[in-house]
Amino acid sequence: MGIKAALVTDSSTLTSFGKLIGLDVLQLSETYQKSDSSPSDAAASEFLRLLGFEGGKCLDVSLYASVFVHIDVDNVGMIDSLIGSIMKMAQPGSEIAPRLHLSLVLSYGSVTDEDASVFPVKTPHEGVNSAFAGLVPRQSYTM
C-alpha cells in the first residue's frame, strides 16, 4: 500500500503522465476559483485542505499525504504570492507548521516529443501476468 498523492497542474502533458504513474490529477485553474479571496490565498487554502489542514487546524483525516503543484511559465509570477499565502497560514506555533513540509523546485525548459523516446515511461502493468495485474501498485513505475 502506497501513499495517496495528488498532482495539481494545468499542463495536459503532465496530466497524462500523472495519471500514468497513479497520481490523482487536479486542475490548478480550479483551485483559484474556490474562494472570493485572492487567487494565491484560495489556492493555498485548497492545497492545505487537501493535506488535512483547514482554518489553521489539523483535520482528523486528509485526502492526500502529498500534493505536488506544477506551475508553468504562464503563472510563474504567482509563486511568490502562493508561498507567502502558505507561510502566512502555517505560522510558527500553529498546528500546521510542525506538520507541513514545503519544497520548491525550479526548472526551465520544456519537454518535447523527442524527449519521450529518450526517457520512456513504462506502464506499471507491462510484462505482468494479467492475473496478477491488480496486485501491482499504481504508484510503481520504471523509467
Side-chain angles (χ1 to χ4, degrees), residues 2-138:
I3 64 168
K4 185 89 168 141
L7 171 66
V8 184
T9 184
D10 282 334
S11 167
S12 60
T13 305
L14 198 54
T15 296
S16 60
F17 177 73
K19 288 178 181 177
L20 180 68
I21 64 172
L23 300 174
D24 288 346
V25 179
L26 309 170
Q27 292 298 308
L28 181 62
S29 57
E30 291 176 8
T31 63
Y32 301 148
Q33 302 165 357
K34 297 227 178 194
S35 173
D36 294 331
S37 60
S38 72
S40 60
D41 285 345
S45 293
E46 180 64 13
F47 300 151
L48 291 174
R49 187 188 66 76
L50 293 172
L51 291 167
F53 306 113
E54 194 163 17
K57 303 280 185 196
C58 292
L59 303 175
D60 292 334
V61 295
S62 64
L63 295 173
Y64 301 101
S66 294
V67 175
F68 302 97
V69 180
H70 171 259
I71 299 176
D72 63 10
V73 70
D74 296 334
N75 295 320
V76 76
M78 187 188 148
I79 292 174
D80 284 338
S81 59
L82 177 61
I83 291 183
S85 295
I86 291 172
M87 298 304 290
K88 182 174 63 176
M89 293 174 191
Q91 287 290 320
S94 71
E95 288 185 30
I96 298 173
R99 294 175 172 88
L100 181 67
H101 174 82
L102 177 65
S103 295
L104 176 64
V105 178
L106 299 174
S107 67
Y108 63 94
S110 60
V111 178
T112 65
D113 289 336
E114 294 171 6
D115 294 333
S117 64
V118 176
F119 304 109
V121 177
K122 291 173 42 177
T123 60
H125 301 289
E126 284 181 20
V128 175
N129 183 328
S130 61
F132 299 111
L135 300 174
V136 177
R138 291 191 58 214

